[in-house]
Amino acid sequence: MMELTVENLSFQYNRSPELNLEEINLQVSKGEVIGVLGVTGAGKTTFMRTLNGLIPQFFEGKISGKVLVQDLDTQVYRIQSLVRRVGFVFDDPETQIFGINVKEDVAFGPCNFGLPKEEVFARIKKSLNLVGLEDYEERATENLSGGEKQRLAIAGVLAMGSEILVLDEPTAALDPLGKEAVFQIVELLKKQGMTVLLVEHETEDMAAQVDRVIILDHGRIIYRGETRDVFQEVPLFSKYHLRPPEVAEFGWRLYEKRLISKDEVPVTEEEGVALIKRLLPSMAPPSTINAIKVDKSEGKGKIIQSGNAAPQEVMIEVKDLSFSYIKKQPVLKGINLQIHQGDFLALVGQNGAGKTTFCKILTKLLAADTGKVTFKGEEINKFSHVRLAKHLGYVFQNPDHQIFSSSIKEELEFGLINQGLGEAERRERIEKVLHIVKLDKPLTTHPFNLGRGERQRLAVASILVLEPEALIIDEPTTGQDWQGTRNIMELIKDLNRQGHTILIITHDMRLVAEYCNRVVVLNKGTILADETPRQLFTKPDLLKEARLRPPQISRIVHQLADRGVPQDILGVEELLIAVTKLREQGGV
Amino acid sequence: MFVDYYPGATIIHRLDVRAKLVAFTALMVLLFFFTNPFYNLLLAAFSTFLLYYLGLPTRKISSILKPIAPILLIIMVITAFTYPADNFVIPVAKVVFYKKGWFEVTSGGVLYGATLVLRIFNMVVLSSILTCSTPLDHFLQVMKMSRLPSNVSFLIITGIRFVPTMQKKVEMVFNAQKVRGAHFDEKGLFSRIKAYIPIMVPLLVQSLYMSDRLAVAMLNRGYGAAARQTSLEEISLTGLDYIFIILFSIVTGVGIYLRFKGIGRL
């Protein structure tokens, strides 16, 4: 018997104008780990909802075809019976935790089934052990980190005894450490014979985890296959706006140059290292180490390197800044930083390192304990929020925390009215800003009729409309697919080109490498590094201390030092050049 | 006064929540039996003793008492000045310190003020002791046992669980609007309400969104699967609890007797 059988499944939500799922067929046997890929709106979540009866029992619509969980038809059995076999973990850690403490939360499922008390306690212990939260029983759920909350959610599902686990973008809201922990759990569960469906945008992690992959687009499975076969089809990824693993992209380029066969295209870090070692068979003679030059004006290196260029005007200066929420537990300890006109700066570090606190102090949402912040030489304490908004904008992570109007126009006008600008000026600015953010919708459109990416654009626009010289943008790409990520980063890059100074908070090192000219690493309240991404990613020890994971290509390059591969290579393009040159030198 | 649970192993911690509720109710009733501050002073000494017995950190105690200090002072002053001597029966209370027209400062007023202050003090301290020494779960157990429908108690638990989450949301929304130059210090009721629309709307949208997701998450955890849900901790009365319940019943009885004898008046 199959664990999951999906036959000719089609579904259309009641208010949807078109089919949301079309003719889906899938069979999953016990112990398989299936990766599900697709852009936002491709139908991934909709598909997952059919697996435990949420569709059509909770989310109503027109359904045809059949979904069987083991032998249970999801259109016949109640959701509450199906969830004992199929457990769901959602992307938002906040809205799936019910207990005030950890123990109560894990117990929620088993208690709902009316299991005997001893059994419930045994299950709590077992599932907390599995997710690495042993001895967390009495902790208040509120004080857990995002990663811990997500692990708790997995434990809660495991405690129900589910044999099939559906993870719907489980790491979307997590920092790299939290992500890593979740993926480790998936690996462990796989070893224990659990059947797992994993919806993820992080293809690099997925490639190392899953047995099979399906790609959804417009509600249809448009591609499926063994993990290696799918990830080796790199053009497929760009066609469906997905981000292939860097290493696969690199491999594909080699394949295009006919240096390797298609079957040799690597899909994981290990495979990448092994391939390059094979291509550069001998140890490089010591004389050639670092002798080869990769022209960094090509590819990703074209950004202005701060420090090398002529000194620019200091826009924001932070001196000896310290801050603590609770006495004697400083969050920021003596921070000194100068942000220059035209910088595209990434502020990175684990959650809790003080990134958001730092930005809140810059924008006067918090007052520093000691030290001072100046904007173009003037202390920010002397600014009112209204005046500061004209110079320094802050775009928050979730656009829905600020959108309150019933039309795009009103939303954009809010800041302008606060500034006391007149009707004509307002109209002019709104027109201009909509052009900049490429939000091509009628001014009367209700913001909640916009997609998530468009709402984010609107949020950026509502800050940008005040024409600030500097912009702080907090995790602009969290929870977005590759296409959305690309769009928003390109927008930010354009703004930077037009002269805006940019500070982004992000966890995505690949974006840092690709877009930023400067990266500041915060760790435990101090600045651990302040340099170019290229310099930073050559320092594995420092990265390890800050618990940051460099982009995949950089990780591969670190393992190839003895082959003469320059350590400061960034991105696919440069590695390609380096490998080609090394082969020419070696006479391969 | 809602104070977080403070773990410990004192007798008060070990008592069953029902015994504690009986004692708490008895003490609350006693507080209002006597207008003579002497009796409330006794009770205050008792509750202060309990507070120290619980081993709460001083910081926590002061965080309980500090906010009410100004209120106590105001009450004391107002009562002292506004109760004329003919309100009182016993001679000690009829002393007039100062009189001008209807304005009269009497010993009775001062004493009655002291009673009111001690009552509030006792109420705050006793309820803090109750909540500090009893995990929330135990109150919820009582709720369940009192045949409150399980949906209602679930609603209350979830409500409590989401208080901090919502607080964070409120802060985020406030910050997001502040950096757009929003000002909340408008004059006049209408303008003030209007100034808060940019806060209320995103919060409302967020709560609707969250409640939707919560409903799905609840189903996902099998909410409503079995007619009877397992209770993790079943509270049970022990010998100590019965002693406590009997003791406080006697004290209350004595209190009622004294009251009808006319003792403890002012």
Side-chain angles (χ1 to χ4, degrees):
Chain A
M1 183 176 60
M2 284 286 159
E3 285 289 278
L4 271 176
T5 313
V6 182
E7 269 171 28
N8 294 327
L9 175 74
S10 295
F11 178 75
Q12 184 169 2
Y13 287 109
N14 272 344
R15 286 204 203 135
S16 167
E18 52 184 20
L19 278 180
N20 301 90
L21 289 177
E22 202 175 337
E23 292 291 308
I24 303 266
N25 284 291
L26 183 71
Q27 290 202 321
V28 184
S29 44
K30 187 161 172 52
E32 263 192 306
V33 179
I34 310 276
V36 183
L37 287 174
V39 294
T40 304
K44 302 186 300 294
T45 298
T46 306
F47 181 31
M48 295 304 117
R49 282 170 176 169
T50 62
L51 302 180
N52 66 356
L54 278 172
I55 286 178
Q57 300 182 41
F58 184 83
F59 298 98
E60 292 173 352
K62 261 191 290 187
I63 192 165
S64 65
K66 206 185 245 183
V67 179
L68 294 178
V69 175
Q70 292 162 351
D71 55 342
L72 304 186
D73 188 331
T74 59
Q75 288 169 62
V76 176
Y77 287 85
R78 295 167 71 201
I79 297 172
Q80 287 97 325
S81 318
L82 293 164
V83 295
R84 294 188 79 160
R85 306 199 182 183
V86 185
F88 241 80
V89 176
F90 304 94
D91 57 346
D92 181 7
E94 215 45 74
T95 46
Q96 47 187 330
I97 287 173
F98 297 93
I100 288 163
N101 67 33
V102 168
K103 179 184 68 187
E104 285 169 19
D105 188 65
V106 183
F108 183 57
C111 286
N112 282 331
F113 298 127
L115 296 176
K117 219 167 90 180
E118 299 69 35
E119 173 73 19
V120 176
F121 277 112
R123 286 187 178 200
I124 293 174
K125 201 165 164 23
K126 195 176 152 210
S127 42
L128 283 180
N129 273 340
L130 265 173
V131 300
L133 291 180
E134 52 269 20
D135 301 327
Y136 271 60
E137 277 94 339
E138 303 297 332
R139 289 243 216 141
T141 49
E142 191 45 44
N143 300 332
L144 300 179
S145 71
E148 286 167 338
K149 279 184 183 161
Q150 209 58 332
R151 276 143 76 191
L152 174 60
I154 298 177
V157 166
L158 293 177
M160 295 192 299
S162 319
E163 291 152 49
I164 303 164
L165 190 61
V166 176
L167 302 162
D168 192 0
E169 299 187 30
T171 68
L174 305 186
D175 65 359
L177 269 186
K179 280 191 174 139
E180 210 179 303
V182 168
F183 285 122
Q184 274 168 7
I185 293 169
V186 174
E187 207 175 316
L188 189 69
L189 294 174
K190 182 181 167 183
K191 279 188 193 135
Q192 301 205 338
M194 189 94 150
T195 309
V196 181
L197 282 97
L198 175 66
V199 181
E200 246 319 321
H201 291 305
E202 300 283 335
T203 47
E204 285 168 11
D205 292 295
M206 187 189 269
Q209 292 267 340
V210 303
D211 304 319
R212 276 203 289 154
V213 177
I214 59 174
I215 301 178
L216 281 166
D217 190 58
H218 289 98
R220 303 169 70 103
I221 297 184
I222 48 96
Y223 202 85
R224 66 173 88 208
E226 302 287 321
T227 306
R228 267 186 69 84
D229 298 341
V230 175
F231 282 102
Q232 282 174 336
E233 256 342 296
V234 174
L236 198 71
F237 283 77
S238 43
K239 185 175 172 198
Y240 292 103
H241 308 297
L242 302 167
R243 168 151 79 168
E246 271 191 323
V247 70
E249 233 180 306
F250 168 73
W252 185 259
R253 296 291 299 275
L254 288 177
Y255 164 65
E256 280 180 335
K257 293 188 169 193
R258 300 287 169 240
L259 286 172
I260 57 171
S261 71
K262 191 172 159 194
D263 194 47
E264 284 177 290
V265 172
V267 304
T268 63
E269 194 181 317
E270 293 73 35
E271 286 177 12
V273 173
L275 174 77
I276 298 173
K277 282 191 172 166
R278 212 161 58 237
L279 289 174
L280 309 172
S282 60
M283 293 282 280
S287 62
T288 66
I289 291 186
N290 291 333
I292 73 137
K293 287 217 169 59
V294 175
D295 184 1
K296 280 158 197 147
S297 64
E298 301 243 327
K300 311 281 151 68
K302 59 191 160 195
I303 36 177
I304 324 144
Q305 305 278 329
S306 77
N308 302 350
Q312 284 140 328
E313 194 193 341
V314 175
M315 183 157 269
I316 301 168
E317 181 159 31
V318 178
K319 271 193 187 151
D320 294 321
L321 178 82
S322 294
F323 180 83
S324 55
Y325 291 99
I326 304 164
K327 266 182 199 157
K328 286 180 191 154
Q329 290 179 28
V331 179
L332 296 171
K333 301 175 231 177
I335 302 275
N336 285 294
L337 188 69
Q338 288 188 335
I339 299 173
H340 302 100
Q341 169 97 48
D343 266 351
F344 193 148
L345 187 151
L347 191 58
V348 302
Q350 286 304 314
N351 283 350
K355 303 187 298 294
T356 301
T357 306
F358 180 70
C359 290
K360 279 185 179 167
I361 293 172
L362 291 190
T363 45
K364 253 191 86 181
L365 291 170
L366 289 172
D369 296 343
T370 60
K372 66 175 181 183
V373 180
T374 52
F375 185 87
K376 285 191 166 172
E378 194 177 348
E379 262 197 73
I380 60 154
N381 290 341
K382 297 192 179 123
F383 286 80
S384 66
H385 277 293
V386 176
R387 187 154 81 93
L388 194 60
K390 280 193 290 192
H391 301 288
L392 179 58
Y394 192 162
V395 182
F396 284 83
Q397 194 181 333
N398 186 345
D400 298 340
H401 285 158
Q402 66 160 84
I403 293 174
F404 70 98
S405 310
S406 52
S407 73
I408 291 178
K409 176 169 175 274
E410 282 174 47
E411 190 63 40
L412 294 177
E413 265 185 336
F414 179 65
L416 298 173
I417 291 172
N418 289 332
Q419 297 290 342
L421 295 181
E423 171 85 41
E425 167 102 40
R426 294 204 303 254
R427 200 179 319 129
E428 195 183 310
R429 290 237 199 150
I430 288 173
E431 227 159 81
K432 202 163 125 199
V433 81
L434 285 177
H435 182 70
I436 295 173
V437 302
K438 301 190 181 73
L439 193 62
D440 191 16
K441 295 273 164 150
L443 277 175
T444 50
T445 311
H446 198 291
F448 285 100
N449 287 334
L450 300 172
R452 157 84 204 223
E454 289 169 321
R455 288 211 298 284
Q456 184 142 24
R457 269 162 199 273
L458 178 61
V460 173
S462 74
I463 302 296
L464 209 55
V465 77
L466 304 171
E467 302 183 348
E469 294 122 288
L471 270 177
I472 297 174
I473 308 176
D474 195 346
E475 297 195 34
T477 63
T478 298
Q480 303 220 42
D481 63 13
W482 181 223
Q483 179 80 353
T485 300
R486 268 242 107 86
N487 290 342
I488 195 81
M489 288 310 292
E490 287 299 322
L491 167 64
I492 296 171
K493 191 167 140 192
D494 281 347
L495 294 175
N496 182 242
R497 280 214 195 100
Q498 289 160 18
H500 291 278
T501 304
I502 305 281
L503 187 162
I504 62 168
I505 298 180
T506 184
H507 289 306
D508 193 332
M509 294 303 138
R510 205 164 155 185
L511 296 181
V512 172
E514 194 166 342
Y515 289 96
C516 303
N517 70 345
R518 189 174 165 198
V519 51
V520 171
V521 181
L522 266 186
N523 189 41
K524 294 175 187 152
T526 58
I527 293 183
L528 199 60
D530 176 5
E531 49 204 346
T532 61
R534 187 180 298 284
Q535 288 161 343
L536 177 70
F537 293 141
T538 58
K539 298 174 181 164
D541 295 337
L542 189 147
L543 291 164
K544 207 169 181 186
E545 190 187 340
R547 314 193 79 172
L548 294 171
R549 198 160 69 144
Q552 197 174 29
I553 290 293
S554 301
R555 297 201 303 269
I556 289 173
V557 165
H558 293 161
Q559 298 171 54
L560 294 167
D562 60 345
R563 303 289 164 128
V565 178
Q567 292 298 290
D568 61 347
I569 276 176
L570 271 190
V572 172
E573 213 58 49
E574 290 181 14
L575 181 59
L576 208 62
I577 297 169
V579 169
T580 322
K581 284 197 174 167
L582 280 169
R583 276 168 67 85
E584 278 165 13
Q585 278 182 1
V588 184
Chain B
M1 191 96 340
F2 189 76
V3 185
D4 288 340
Y5 176 59
Y6 183 80
T10 62
I11 295 178
I12 308 177
H13 279 94
R14 277 179 286 145
L15 279 176
D16 188 280
V17 56
R18 283 160 294 178
K20 271 186 270 193
L21 281 173
V22 169
F24 179 75
T25 320
L27 287 169
M28 284 294 149
V29 171
L30 286 175
L31 280 183
F32 288 90
F33 267 9
F34 308 108
T35 44
N36 192 325
F38 172 70
Y39 296 89
N40 278 299
L41 197 62
L42 279 181
L43 283 169
F46 178 63
S47 52
T48 312
F49 164 73
L50 288 184
L51 199 60
Y52 278 94
Y53 173 65
L54 273 181
L56 292 181
T58 346
R59 199 158 45 89
K60 201 156 186 172
I61 298 176
S62 73
S63 79
I64 300 168
L65 294 176
K66 239 188 204 159
I68 58 164
I71 305 170
L72 296 185
L73 195 76
I74 292 167
I75 290 176
M76 183 79 206
V77 172
I78 290 177
T79 5
F81 283 72
T82 49
Y83 277 82
D86 44 349
N87 281 340
F88 303 106
V89 279
I90 60 168
V92 190
K94 282 184 170 292
V95 182
V96 179
F97 294 132
Y98 178 83
K99 186 176 171 145
K100 193 169 191 186
W102 56 271
F103 191 75
E104 213 173 298
V105 184
T106 60
S107 61
V110 174
L111 288 171
Y112 187 59
T115 304
L116 291 182
V117 166
L118 287 169
R119 272 181 194 165
I120 295 174
F121 172 83
N122 278 323
M123 278 194 276
V124 171
V125 171
L126 287 170
S127 47
S128 302
I129 289 170
L130 182 68
T131 51
C132 275
S133 68
T134 318
L136 197 61
D137 188 51
H138 289 186
F139 290 109
L140 299 171
Q141 296 279 331
V142 176
M143 234 157 38
K144 275 184 198 159
M145 279 180 179
S146 60
R147 304 247 174 123
L148 217 58
S150 68
N151 286 343
V152 176
S153 45
F154 178 75
L155 196 82
I156 294 170
I157 305 174
T158 318
I160 293 169
R161 144 82 182 94
F162 276 92
V163 168
T165 310
M166 283 318 285
Q167 272 170 346
K168 270 187 216 157
K169 290 259 179 213
V170 171
E171 199 201 312
M172 283 194 264
V173 173
F174 253 102
N175 283 340
Q177 306 300 26
K178 251 193 214 161
V179 298
R180 294 166 81 188
H183 20 81
F184 305 108
D185 43 5
E186 300 286 333
K187 298 245 154 56
L189 186 66
F190 185 70
S191 313
R192 192 165 282 187
I193 292 172
K194 214 177 141 200
Y196 275 87
I197 288 177
I199 303 295
M200 297 320 291
V201 174
L203 276 180
L204 197 70
V205 172
Q206 284 292 305
S207 357
L208 288 174
Y209 169 80
M210 275 171 65
S211 60
D212 219 40
R213 298 193 59 132
L214 270 176
V216 173
M218 275 164 69
L219 281 172
N220 178 49
R221 300 282 283 278
Y223 187 74
R228 205 179 150 68
Q229 292 156 12
T230 319
S231 293
L232 276 195
E233 277 175 70
E234 262 149 48
I235 43 180
S236 58
L237 292 171
T238 60
L240 192 67
D241 298 317
Y242 289 111
I243 296 173
F244 232 76
I245 291 173
I246 293 166
L247 202 72
F248 274 94
S249 310
I250 294 172
V251 171
T252 317
V254 172
I256 293 171
Y257 176 76
L258 291 177
R259 171 72 203 258
F260 283 103
K261 279 287 205 175
I263 290 168
R265 286 187 295 172
L266 270 182

